[in-house]
Amino acid sequence: MKPTKIRKYVTSLVLSCAFSASVSNLSAQQPVDMNATRETKVLYQTINSRRAKGISLGHQDALAYGHGWYKVKGRSDMKDATGKYPAVIGWEIGDIELGKAYNLDSVYFDDMRQYIVETQKRGGITTLSWHANNIVSGKNAWDCAQDSVVRSVLPNGSHHQKYLQWLDRTATFLLSLKDSQGNFIPVVLRPYHEHTGSWFWWGAKQCTAQEYKDLWKMTVDYFQQKHGIHHLLYCYSPSETESESHFLERYPGDEYVDLVAFDCYVPGNGTPEDIEKYKVAMAKNIAIVTQVAHKLKKIPTIGETGFEGVKDSAYFTQVVYPLVKEKGLAWILFWRNAYEKDKQNHYYIPFKGHPAAGDLREFSRKSDVFQLK
Ligand code: BMA
């Protein structure tokens, strides 16, 4: 080995030992739900033991559709490009609260359940986001015209009872996630996300910090106490924040959160300057989330990220990898590859034949990046 190589090896050994030590401190940690099922505790430990070795690769809606296709058994754009499935798959449950058969992106909940079962069998992890509709206006999650929607769903609010019905429907879906032995499949729930921004009805300009915390606690308490749901890990995931105190401004409390995360995308049109801004924002937010996680004994991860259209063919190896390497992050979840004809540029994972596909493959083959066969 050349001296430079030896130096690199020793440095990486020291770094990985340091971060394995900090991760192993967490092996005694448990889910915040005191009544968490055995499988949920196992999931918690699995996430920690995996992140001691590297970062898991995640993709939203990976099995349901991809760029230019919808519902093809066994297919995944990530698998097409890299030969393997994502280790983490995100699903979106928006519209479940309305009692619809499919979500806001037209994925049938019955199919989603099967994909979650399949992922569990493969040893993968499921995380759920929820773009819940605006209960006051009847419009979607992005309707921010009012600043009293959160207040209205809290106890004594005008829409409280109706919101509980929405939670009932969501709970019914969560309780339908079972393996072949009848055990609940544990999943990571990441509700009311990007709340430091102001583009959802639960956003920073739409409610006070206290109202946000109350909404979170009410939801968790209701799932646990009314529905006996004990197979969830809870993930708190603001959009980009400026500091630890900004990150924690709306944090509902240690007993309500298992994972801490953030969402951050390449801004604008993805010019080289935009990519530079992304690098700065990611580095800053990774530092915030890992520090918060370390102090509060939570698991840090990346809730959502990506570069729409992946316009840089070295994005994964040159931009993402140096940012996430040896940070102790559980996973990095790239957003969805839309199948819709009017959203052809809305994709975050290069598909087969895309100029960045080789780069994703190279990134995925790093010894500290995980996928599943
Ligand atoms: C957004 C976009 C939308 C989608 C929503 C929920 O970021 O991808 O097209 O409906 O997420 O999945």
Side-chain angles (χ1 to χ4, degrees):
M1 255 191 223
K2 284 185 187 167
T4 46
K5 277 202 174 165
I6 295 177
R7 218 177 308 125
K8 266 191 188 166
Y9 178 71
V10 171
T11 315
S12 81
L13 206 63
V14 168
L15 275 174
S16 64
C17 286
F19 111 75
S20 298
S22 83
V23 173
S24 72
N25 285 342
L26 285 175
S27 61
Q29 291 284 312
Q30 299 274 336
V32 290
D33 181 349
M34 305 283 278
N35 298 310
T37 62
R38 195 184 69 84
E39 291 73 20
T40 311
K41 290 179 184 162
V42 170
L43 172 64
Y44 191 95
Q45 299 310 339
T46 302
I47 295 174
N48 263 336
S49 57
R50 286 188 187 168
R51 79 187 179 91
K53 298 186 203 116
I55 190 160
S56 292
L57 203 38
H59 192 204
Q60 182 74 4
D61 287 356
L63 307 175
Y65 59 80
H67 183 77
W69 60 273
Y70 178 86
K71 205 170 168 173
V72 179
K73 204 169 165 38
R75 191 164 176 191
S76 135
D77 277 353
M78 175 133 6
K79 185 165 187 278
D80 283 355
T82 67
K84 287 191 188 169
Y85 288 104
V88 174
I89 299 186
W91 296 104
E92 167 55 40
I93 58 170
D95 283 2
I96 190 85
E97 70 280 5
L98 303 179
K100 286 202 181 176
Y102 49 85
N103 78 358
L104 69 165
D105 301 314
S106 300
V107 176
Y108 281 83
F109 291 110
D110 284 348
D111 291 339
M112 196 184 290
R113 184 180 309 106
Q114 285 317 308
Y115 297 134
I116 292 170
V117 169
E118 189 184 321
T119 300
Q120 161 87 350
K121 279 193 201 145
R122 195 178 283 129
I125 294 168
T126 290
T127 171
L128 304 175
S129 54
W130 184 23
H131 288 77
N133 288 272
N134 179 324
I135 201 165
V136 176
S137 69
K139 294 184 185 164
N140 65 24
W142 290 266
D143 178 17
C144 288
Q146 315 85 353
D147 62 1
S148 56
V149 181
V150 173
R151 204 176 322 139
S152 86
V153 304
L154 294 175
N156 301 322
S158 55
H159 289 75
H160 179 63
Q161 285 309 325
K162 189 174 171 197
Y163 198 73
L164 294 186
Q165 287 172 11
W166 280 20
L167 292 181
D168 290 337
R169 292 190 180 123
T170 308
T172 302
F173 176 72
L174 296 169
L175 289 166
S176 76
L177 303 177
K178 289 189 179 170
D179 64 19
S180 53
Q181 260 87 64
N183 296 316
F184 290 116
I185 298 177
V187 299
V188 175
L189 184 66
R190 192 172 64 91
Y192 312 129
H193 66 303
E194 298 181 4
H195 57 282
T196 45
S198 292
W199 45 85
F200 296 129
W201 57 259
W202 55 85
K205 290 199 181 125
Q206 283 68 33
C207 61
T208 65
Q210 192 56 50
E211 285 166 352
Y212 180 83
K213 293 179 196 180
D214 290 347
L215 171 67
W216 185 289
K217 291 187 200 170
M218 177 183 85
T219 303
V220 174
D221 289 343
Y222 193 71
F223 283 161
Q224 292 181 357
Q225 290 158 21
K226 171 79 197 308
H227 287 285
I229 294 181
H230 299 294
H231 59 290
L232 302 180
L233 297 178
Y234 294 92
C235 179
Y236 172 83
S237 189
S239 50
E240 293 165 39
T241 62
E242 289 306 315
S243 59
E244 282 180 48
S245 60
H246 185 205
F247 185 94
L248 291 171
E249 200 176 85
R250 288 166 183 246
Y251 180 70
D254 282 344
E255 58 289 14
Y256 285 90
V257 173
D258 296 291
L259 294 94
V260 285
F262 66 92
D263 294 4
C264 175
Y265 287 90
V266 174
N269 294 321
T271 61
E273 294 73 38
D274 292 331
I275 295 175
E276 286 311 309
K277 282 187 202 156
Y278 173 74
K279 283 186 190 165
V280 172
M282 284 287 279
K284 182 173 182 173
N285 281 273
I286 288 171
I288 293 171
V289 85
T290 50
Q291 277 155 23
V292 167
H294 183 69
K295 286 182 190 160
L296 304 183
K297 298 194 171 57
K298 303 296 173 189
I299 299 174
T301 192
I302 300 182
E304 293 176 27
T305 193
F307 186 177
E308 191 177 39
V310 203
K311 294 171 195 153
D312 174 352
S313 57
Y315 167 70
F316 294 96
T317 57
Q318 305 303 312
V319 180
V320 174
Y321 186 61
L323 286 164
V324 301
K325 190 176 157 57
E326 286 159 359
K327 297 293 192 316
L329 294 160
W331 60 76
I332 178 164
L333 185 96
F334 293 97
W335 201 242
R336 71 192 194 103
N337 279 13
Y339 64 91
E340 297 96 318
K341 289 224 155 46
D342 60 339
K343 294 194 176 114
Q344 296 219 356
N345 295 322
H346 192 53
Y347 62 85
Y348 295 84
I349 285 290
F351 37 87
K352 207 172 190 165
H354 184 281
D359 186 61
L360 175 63
R361 199 176 321 117
E362 194 182 326
F363 172 70
S364 74
R365 293 196 177 153
K366 306 263 185 208
S367 58
D368 53 355
V369 174
F370 302 115
Q371 288 177 286
L372 294 168
K373 281 193 185 135

mmCIF file with all atom_site columns, all heavy atoms in Angstrom, residues 166-185:
data_model
loop_
_atom_site.group_PDB
_atom_site.id
_atom_site.type_symbol
_atom_site.label_atom_id
_atom_site.label_alt_id
_atom_site.label_comp_id
_atom_site.label_asym_id
_atom_site.label_entity_id
_atom_site.label_seq_id
_atom_site.pdbx_PDB_ins_code
_atom_site.Cartn_x
_atom_site.Cartn_y
_atom_site.Cartn_z
_atom_site.occupancy
_atom_site.B_iso_or_equiv
_atom_site.pdbx_formal_charge
_atom_site.auth_seq_id
_atom_site.auth_comp_id
_atom_site.auth_asym_id
_atom_site.auth_atom_id
_atom_site.pdbx_PDB_model_num
ATOM 1   N N   . TRP A 1 166 ? -60.417 11.135  10.860 1.00 0.00 ? 166 TRP A N   1
ATOM 2   C CA  . TRP A 1 166 ? -59.314 11.003  9.895  1.00 0.00 ? 166 TRP A CA  1
ATOM 3   C C   . TRP A 1 166 ? -58.188 10.146  10.492 1.00 0.00 ? 166 TRP A C   1
ATOM 4   O O   . TRP A 1 166 ? -57.627 9.282   9.818  1.00 0.00 ? 166 TRP A O   1
ATOM 5   C CB  . TRP A 1 166 ? -58.755 12.397  9.525  1.00 0.00 ? 166 TRP A CB  1
ATOM 6   C CG  . TRP A 1 166 ? -59.594 13.113  8.501  1.00 0.00 ? 166 TRP A CG  1
ATOM 7   C CD1 . TRP A 1 166 ? -60.897 12.864  8.186  1.00 0.00 ? 166 TRP A CD1 1
ATOM 8   C CD2 . TRP A 1 166 ? -59.160 14.188  7.659  1.00 0.00 ? 166 TRP A CD2 1
ATOM 9   N NE1 . TRP A 1 166 ? -61.314 13.721  7.204  1.00 0.00 ? 166 TRP A NE1 1
ATOM 10  C CE2 . TRP A 1 166 ? -60.271 14.543  6.866  1.00 0.00 ? 166 TRP A CE2 1
ATOM 11  C CE3 . TRP A 1 166 ? -57.975 14.892  7.516  1.00 0.00 ? 166 TRP A CE3 1
ATOM 12  C CZ2 . TRP A 1 166 ? -60.204 15.571  5.924  1.00 0.00 ? 166 TRP A CZ2 1
ATOM 13  C CZ3 . TRP A 1 166 ? -57.908 15.917  6.583  1.00 0.00 ? 166 TRP A CZ3 1
ATOM 14  C CH2 . TRP A 1 166 ? -59.022 16.245  5.795  1.00 0.00 ? 166 TRP A CH2 1
ATOM 15  N N   . LEU A 1 167 ? -57.910 10.401  11.769 1.00 0.00 ? 167 LEU A N   1
ATOM 16  C CA  . LEU A 1 167 ? -56.863 9.593   12.419 1.00 0.00 ? 167 LEU A CA  1
ATOM 17  C C   . LEU A 1 167 ? -57.297 8.128   12.518 1.00 0.00 ? 167 LEU A C   1
ATOM 18  O O   . LEU A 1 167 ? -56.468 7.219   12.399 1.00 0.00 ? 167 LEU A O   1
ATOM 19  C CB  . LEU A 1 167 ? -56.534 10.148  13.811 1.00 0.00 ? 167 LEU A CB  1
ATOM 20  C CG  . LEU A 1 167 ? -55.834 11.518  13.859 1.00 0.00 ? 167 LEU A CG  1
ATOM 21  C CD1 . LEU A 1 167 ? -55.567 11.915  15.314 1.00 0.00 ? 167 LEU A CD1 1
ATOM 22  C CD2 . LEU A 1 167 ? -54.514 11.511  13.085 1.00 0.00 ? 167 LEU A CD2 1
ATOM 23  N N   . ASP A 1 168 ? -58.606 7.910   12.720 1.00 0.00 ? 168 ASP A N   1
ATOM 24  C CA  . ASP A 1 168 ? -59.116 6.535   12.782 1.00 0.00 ? 168 ASP A CA  1
ATOM 25  C C   . ASP A 1 168 ? -58.820 5.803   11.471 1.00 0.00 ? 168 ASP A C   1
ATOM 26  O O   . ASP A 1 168 ? -58.385 4.651   11.471 1.00 0.00 ? 168 ASP A O   1
ATOM 27  C CB  . ASP A 1 168 ? -60.637 6.512   13.011 1.00 0.00 ? 168 ASP A CB  1
ATOM 28  C CG  . ASP A 1 168 ? -61.028 6.967   14.411 1.00 0.00 ? 168 ASP A CG  1
ATOM 29  O OD1 . ASP A 1 168 ? -60.179 6.891   15.321 1.00 0.00 ? 168 ASP A OD1 1
ATOM 30  O OD2 . ASP A 1 168 ? -62.180 7.423   14.597 1.00 0.00 ? 168 ASP A OD2 1
ATOM 31  N N   . ARG A 1 169 ? -59.073 6.477   10.364 1.00 0.00 ? 169 ARG A N   1
ATOM 32  C CA  . ARG A 1 169 ? -58.846 5.830   9.051  1.00 0.00 ? 169 ARG A CA  1
ATOM 33  C C   . ARG A 1 169 ? -57.357 5.546   8.840  1.00 0.00 ? 169 ARG A C   1
ATOM 34  O O   . ARG A 1 169 ? -56.977 4.501   8.320  1.00 0.00 ? 169 ARG A O   1
ATOM 35  C CB  . ARG A 1 169 ? -59.366 6.722   7.931  1.00 0.00 ? 169 ARG A CB  1
ATOM 36  C CG  . ARG A 1 169 ? -60.884 6.839   7.948  1.00 0.00 ? 169 ARG A CG  1
ATOM 37  C CD  . ARG A 1 169 ? -61.366 7.527   6.687  1.00 0.00 ? 169 ARG A CD  1
ATOM 38  N NE  . ARG A 1 169 ? -62.802 7.652   6.695  1.00 0.00 ? 169 ARG A NE  1
ATOM 39  C CZ  . ARG A 1 169 ? -63.454 8.813   6.591  1.00 0.00 ? 169 ARG A CZ  1
ATOM 40  N NH1 . ARG A 1 169 ? -62.786 9.948   6.453  1.00 0.00 ? 169 ARG A NH1 1
ATOM 41  N NH2 . ARG A 1 169 ? -64.766 8.842   6.610  1.00 0.00 ? 169 ARG A NH2 1
ATOM 42  N N   . THR A 1 170 ? -56.535 6.490   9.262  1.00 0.00 ? 170 THR A N   1
ATOM 43  C CA  . THR A 1 170 ? -55.085 6.297   9.130  1.00 0.00 ? 170 THR A CA  1
ATOM 44  C C   . THR A 1 170 ? -54.652 5.120   10.003 1.00 0.00 ? 170 THR A C   1
ATOM 45  O O   . THR A 1 170 ? -53.867 4.262   9.582  1.00 0.00 ? 170 THR A O   1
ATOM 46  C CB  . THR A 1 170 ? -54.351 7.594   9.539  1.00 0.00 ? 170 THR A CB  1
ATOM 47  O OG1 . THR A 1 170 ? -54.930 8.664   8.800  1.00 0.00 ? 170 THR A OG1 1
ATOM 48  C CG2 . THR A 1 170 ? -52.871 7.530   9.242  1.00 0.00 ? 170 THR A CG2 1
ATOM 49  N N   . ALA A 1 171 ? -55.206 5.072   11.216 1.00 0.00 ? 171 ALA A N   1
ATOM 50  C CA  . ALA A 1 171 ? -54.876 3.984   12.148 1.00 0.00 ? 171 ALA A CA  1
ATOM 51  C C   . ALA A 1 171 ? -55.277 2.634   11.565 1.00 0.00 ? 171 ALA A C   1
ATOM 52  O O   . ALA A 1 171 ? -54.541 1.644   11.678 1.00 0.00 ? 171 ALA A O   1
ATOM 53  C CB  . ALA A 1 171 ? -55.585 4.210   13.481 1.00 0.00 ? 171 ALA A CB  1
ATOM 54  N N   . THR A 1 172 ? -56.431 2.591   10.916 1.00 0.00 ? 172 THR A N   1
ATOM 55  C CA  . THR A 1 172 ? -56.893 1.323   10.336 1.00 0.00 ? 172 THR A CA  1
ATOM 56  C C   . THR A 1 172 ? -55.877 0.812   9.320  1.00 0.00 ? 172 THR A C   1
ATOM 57  O O   . THR A 1 172 ? -55.556 -0.384  9.275  1.00 0.00 ? 172 THR A O   1
ATOM 58  C CB  . THR A 1 172 ? -58.279 1.522   9.664  1.00 0.00 ? 172 THR A CB  1
ATOM 59  O OG1 . THR A 1 172 ? -59.160 2.004   10.674 1.00 0.00 ? 172 THR A OG1 1
ATOM 60  C CG2 . THR A 1 172 ? -58.811 0.233   9.070  1.00 0.00 ? 172 THR A CG2 1
ATOM 61  N N   . PHE A 1 173 ? -55.351 1.722   8.513  1.00 0.00 ? 173 PHE A N   1
ATOM 62  C CA  . PHE A 1 173 ? -54.330 1.300   7.540  1.00 0.00 ? 173 PHE A CA  1
ATOM 63  C C   . PHE A 1 173 ? -53.083 0.801   8.272  1.00 0.00 ? 173 PHE A C   1
ATOM 64  O O   . PHE A 1 173 ? -52.545 -0.268  7.958  1.00 0.00 ? 173 PHE A O   1
ATOM 65  C CB  . PHE A 1 173 ? -53.975 2.445   6.581  1.00 0.00 ? 173 PHE A CB  1
ATOM 66  C CG  . PHE A 1 173 ? -52.868 2.077   5.638  1.00 0.00 ? 173 PHE A CG  1
ATOM 67  C CD1 . PHE A 1 173 ? -53.089 1.166   4.600  1.00 0.00 ? 173 PHE A CD1 1
ATOM 68  C CD2 . PHE A 1 173 ? -51.589 2.593   5.806  1.00 0.00 ? 173 PHE A CD2 1
ATOM 69  C CE1 . PHE A 1 173 ? -52.053 0.796   3.735  1.00 0.00 ? 173 PHE A CE1 1
ATOM 70  C CE2 . PHE A 1 173 ? -50.544 2.219   4.945  1.00 0.00 ? 173 PHE A CE2 1
ATOM 71  C CZ  . PHE A 1 173 ? -50.788 1.327   3.905  1.00 0.00 ? 173 PHE A CZ  1
ATOM 72  N N   . LEU A 1 174 ? -52.630 1.566   9.256  1.00 0.00 ? 174 LEU A N   1
ATOM 73  C CA  . LEU A 1 174 ? -51.405 1.174   9.976  1.00 0.00 ? 174 LEU A CA  1
ATOM 74  C C   . LEU A 1 174 ? -51.580 -0.204  10.625 1.00 0.00 ? 174 LEU A C   1
ATOM 75  O O   . LEU A 1 174 ? -50.658 -1.019  10.639 1.00 0.00 ? 174 LEU A O   1
ATOM 76  C CB  . LEU A 1 174 ? -51.051 2.229   11.034 1.00 0.00 ? 174 LEU A CB  1
ATOM 77  C CG  . LEU A 1 174 ? -50.688 3.621   10.473 1.00 0.00 ? 174 LEU A CG  1
ATOM 78  C CD1 . LEU A 1 174 ? -50.610 4.653   11.598 1.00 0.00 ? 174 LEU A CD1 1
ATOM 79  C CD2 . LEU A 1 174 ? -49.362 3.575   9.705  1.00 0.00 ? 174 LEU A CD2 1
ATOM 80  N N   . LEU A 1 175 ? -52.785 -0.441  11.137 1.00 0.00 ? 175 LEU A N   1
ATOM 81  C CA  . LEU A 1 175 ? -53.050 -1.726  11.794 1.00 0.00 ? 175 LEU A CA  1
ATOM 82  C C   . LEU A 1 175 ? -53.230 -2.873  10.800 1.00 0.00 ? 175 LEU A C   1
ATOM 83  O O   . LEU A 1 175 ? -53.339 -4.034  11.189 1.00 0.00 ? 175 LEU A O   1
ATOM 84  C CB  . LEU A 1 175 ? -54.291 -1.604  12.689 1.00 0.00 ? 175 LEU A CB  1
ATOM 85  C CG  . LEU A 1 175 ? -54.089 -0.767  13.963 1.00 0.00 ? 175 LEU A CG  1
ATOM 86  C CD1 . LEU A 1 175 ? -55.417 -0.411  14.609 1.00 0.00 ? 175 LEU A CD1 1
ATOM 87  C CD2 . LEU A 1 175 ? -53.196 -1.510  14.969 1.00 0.00 ? 175 LEU A CD2 1
ATOM 88  N N   . SER A 1 176 ? -53.280 -2.544  9.532  1.00 0.00 ? 176 SER A N   1
ATOM 89  C CA  . SER A 1 176 ? -53.415 -3.600  8.517  1.00 0.00 ? 176 SER A CA  1
ATOM 90  C C   . SER A 1 176 ? -52.053 -4.083  8.017  1.00 0.00 ? 176 SER A C   1
ATOM 91  O O   . SER A 1 176 ? -51.979 -4.981  7.196  1.00 0.00 ? 176 SER A O   1
ATOM 92  C CB  . SER A 1 176 ? -54.250 -3.096  7.338  1.00 0.00 ? 176 SER A CB  1
ATOM 93  O OG  . SER A 1 176 ? -53.474 -2.229  6.520  1.00 0.00 ? 176 SER A OG  1
ATOM 94  N N   . LEU A 1 177 ? -50.981 -3.476  8.533  1.00 0.00 ? 177 LEU A N   1
ATOM 95  C CA  . LEU A 1 177 ? -49.640 -3.860  8.078  1.00 0.00 ? 177 LEU A CA  1
ATOM 96  C C   . LEU A 1 177 ? -49.154 -5.047  8.908  1.00 0.00 ? 177 LEU A C   1
ATOM 97  O O   . LEU A 1 177 ? -48.672 -4.879  10.032 1.00 0.00 ? 177 LEU A O   1
ATOM 98  C CB  . LEU A 1 177 ? -48.668 -2.674  8.229  1.00 0.00 ? 177 LEU A CB  1
ATOM 99  C CG  . LEU A 1 177 ? -49.077 -1.395  7.498  1.00 0.00 ? 177 LEU A CG  1
ATOM 100 C CD1 . LEU A 1 177 ? -48.089 -0.270  7.782  1.00 0.00 ? 177 LEU A CD1 1
ATOM 101 C CD2 . LEU A 1 177 ? -49.178 -1.644  5.992  1.00 0.00 ? 177 LEU A CD2 1
ATOM 102 N N   . LYS A 1 178 ? -49.348 -6.240  8.364  1.00 0.00 ? 178 LYS A N   1
ATOM 103 C CA  . LYS A 1 178 ? -48.982 -7.451  9.122  1.00 0.00 ? 178 LYS A CA  1
ATOM 104 C C   . LYS A 1 178 ? -48.180 -8.408  8.256  1.00 0.00 ? 178 LYS A C   1
ATOM 105 O O   . LYS A 1 178 ? -48.385 -8.470  7.041  1.00 0.00 ? 178 LYS A O   1
ATOM 106 C CB  . LYS A 1 178 ? -50.252 -8.168  9.581  1.00 0.00 ? 178 LYS A CB  1
ATOM 107 C CG  . LYS A 1 178 ? -50.988 -7.437  10.673 1.00 0.00 ? 178 LYS A CG  1
ATOM 108 C CD  . LYS A 1 178 ? -52.081 -8.301  11.218 1.00 0.00 ? 178 LYS A CD  1
ATOM 109 C CE  . LYS A 1 178 ? -52.816 -7.591  12.331 1.00 0.00 ? 178 LYS A CE  1
ATOM 110 N NZ  . LYS A 1 178 ? -54.025 -8.302  12.732 1.00 0.00 ? 178 LYS A NZ  1
ATOM 111 N N   . ASP A 1 179 ? -47.310 -9.173  8.902  1.00 0.00 ? 179 ASP A N   1
ATOM 112 C CA  . ASP A 1 179 ? -46.558 -10.184 8.161  1.00 0.00 ? 179 ASP A CA  1
ATOM 113 C C   . ASP A 1 179 ? -47.351 -11.495 8.118  1.00 0.00 ? 179 ASP A C   1
ATOM 114 O O   . ASP A 1 179 ? -48.460 -11.565 8.655  1.00 0.00 ? 179 ASP A O   1
ATOM 115 C CB  . ASP A 1 179 ? -45.146 -10.372 8.753  1.00 0.00 ? 179 ASP A CB  1
ATOM 116 C CG  . ASP A 1 179 ? -45.166 -10.919 10.175 1.00 0.00 ? 179 ASP A CG  1
ATOM 117 O OD1 . ASP A 1 179 ? -46.197 -11.498 10.590 1.00 0.00 ? 179 ASP A OD1 1
ATOM 118 O OD2 . ASP A 1 179 ? -44.147 -10.773 10.884 1.00 0.00 ? 179 ASP A OD2 1
ATOM 119 N N   . SER A 1 180 ? -46.767 -12.530 7.511  1.00 0.00 ? 180 SER A N   1
ATOM 120 C CA  . SER A 1 180 ? -47.530 -13.774 7.321  1.00 0.00 ? 180 SER A CA  1
ATOM 121 C C   . SER A 1 180 ? -47.841 -14.474 8.647  1.00 0.00 ? 180 SER A C   1
ATOM 122 O O   . SER A 1 180 ? -48.745 -15.295 8.734  1.00 0.00 ? 180 SER A O   1
ATOM 123 C CB  . SER A 1 180 ? -46.774 -14.719 6.390  1.00 0.00 ? 180 SER A CB  1
ATOM 124 O OG  . SER A 1 180 ? -45.467 -14.880 6.885  1.00 0.00 ? 180 SER A OG  1
ATOM 125 N N   . GLN A 1 181 ? -47.068 -14.122 9.705  1.00 0.00 ? 181 GLN A N   1
ATOM 126 C CA  . GLN A 1 181 ? -47.350 -14.706 11.026 1.00 0.00 ? 181 GLN A CA  1
ATOM 127 C C   . GLN A 1 181 ? -48.405 -13.906 11.796 1.00 0.00 ? 181 GLN A C   1
ATOM 128 O O   . GLN A 1 181 ? -48.758 -14.244 12.908 1.00 0.00 ? 181 GLN A O   1
ATOM 129 C CB  . GLN A 1 181 ? -46.080 -14.707 11.891 1.00 0.00 ? 181 GLN A CB  1
ATOM 130 C CG  . GLN A 1 181 ? -45.371 -16.038 11.943 1.00 0.00 ? 181 GLN A CG  1
ATOM 131 C CD  . GLN A 1 181 ? -44.404 -16.150 10.794 1.00 0.00 ? 181 GLN A CD  1
ATOM 132 O OE1 . GLN A 1 181 ? -43.468 -15.394 10.724 1.00 0.00 ? 181 GLN A OE1 1
ATOM 133 N NE2 . GLN A 1 181 ? -44.649 -17.071 9.884  1.00 0.00 ? 181 GLN A NE2 1
ATOM 134 N N   . GLY A 1 182 ? -48.833 -12.824 11.201 1.00 0.00 ? 182 GLY A N   1
ATOM 135 C CA  . GLY A 1 182 ? -49.825 -11.985 11.875 1.00 0.00 ? 182 GLY A CA  1
ATOM 136 C C   . GLY A 1 182 ? -49.222 -10.910 12.755 1.00 0.00 ? 182 GLY A C   1
ATOM 137 O O   . GLY A 1 182 ? -49.934 -10.188 13.454 1.00 0.00 ? 182 GLY A O   1
ATOM 138 N N   . ASN A 1 183 ? -47.876 -10.786 12.731 1.00 0.00 ? 183 ASN A N   1
ATOM 139 C CA  . ASN A 1 183 ? -47.242 -9.716  13.532 1.00 0.00 ? 183 ASN A CA  1
ATOM 140 C C   . ASN A 1 183 ? -47.313 -8.403  12.765 1.00 0.00 ? 183 ASN A C   1
ATOM 141 O O   . ASN A 1 183 ? -47.199 -8.388  11.540 1.00 0.00 ? 183 ASN A O   1
ATOM 142 C CB  . ASN A 1 183 ? -45.761 -10.030 13.765 1.00 0.00 ? 183 ASN A CB  1
ATOM 143 C CG  . ASN A 1 183 ? -45.578 -11.283 14.589 1.00 0.00 ? 183 ASN A CG  1
ATOM 144 O OD1 . ASN A 1 183 ? -46.267 -11.488 15.581 1.00 0.00 ? 183 ASN A OD1 1
ATOM 145 N ND2 . ASN A 1 183 ? -44.666 -12.140 14.158 1.00 0.00 ? 183 ASN A ND2 1
ATOM 146 N N   . PHE A 1 184 ? -47.466 -7.322  13.519 1.00 0.00 ? 184 PHE A N   1
ATOM 147 C CA  . PHE A 1 184 ? -47.452 -6.015  12.865 1.00 0.00 ? 184 PHE A CA  1
ATOM 148 C C   . PHE A 1 184 ? -46.060 -5.747  12.279 1.00 0.00 ? 184 PHE A C   1
ATOM 149 O O   . PHE A 1 184 ? -45.045 -6.031  12.931 1.00 0.00 ? 184 PHE A O   1
ATOM 150 C CB  . PHE A 1 184 ? -47.794 -4.903  13.871 1.00 0.00 ? 184 PHE A CB  1
ATOM 151 C CG  . PHE A 1 184 ? -49.227 -4.950  14.308 1.00 0.00 ? 184 PHE A CG  1
ATOM 152 C CD1 . PHE A 1 184 ? -49.551 -5.209  15.637 1.00 0.00 ? 184 PHE A CD1 1
ATOM 153 C CD2 . PHE A 1 184 ? -50.249 -4.739  13.391 1.00 0.00 ? 184 PHE A CD2 1
ATOM 154 C CE1 . PHE A 1 184 ? -50.880 -5.270  16.040 1.00 0.00 ? 184 PHE A CE1 1
ATOM 155 C CE2 . PHE A 1 184 ? -51.580 -4.796  13.792 1.00 0.00 ? 184 PHE A CE2 1
ATOM 156 C CZ  . PHE A 1 184 ? -51.895 -5.064  15.116 1.00 0.00 ? 184 PHE A CZ  1
ATOM 157 N N   . ILE A 1 185 ? -46.041 -5.207  11.081 1.00 0.00 ? 185 ILE A N   1
ATOM 158 C CA  . ILE A 1 185 ? -44.763 -4.828  10.468 1.00 0.00 ? 185 ILE A CA  1
ATOM 159 C C   . ILE A 1 185 ? -44.416 -3.430  10.978 1.00 0.00 ? 185 ILE A C   1
ATOM 160 O O   . ILE A 1 185 ? -45.174 -2.483  10.760 1.00 0.00 ? 185 ILE A O   1
ATOM 161 C CB  . ILE A 1 185 ? -44.873 -4.817  8.929  1.00 0.00 ? 185 ILE A CB  1
ATOM 162 C CG1 . ILE A 1 185 ? -45.203 -6.230  8.432  1.00 0.00 ? 185 ILE A CG1 1
ATOM 163 C CG2 . ILE A 1 185 ? -43.589 -4.282  8.291  1.00 0.00 ? 185 ILE A CG2 1
ATOM 164 C CD1 . ILE A 1 185 ? -45.412 -6.339  6.936  1.00 0.00 ? 185 ILE A CD1 1
#
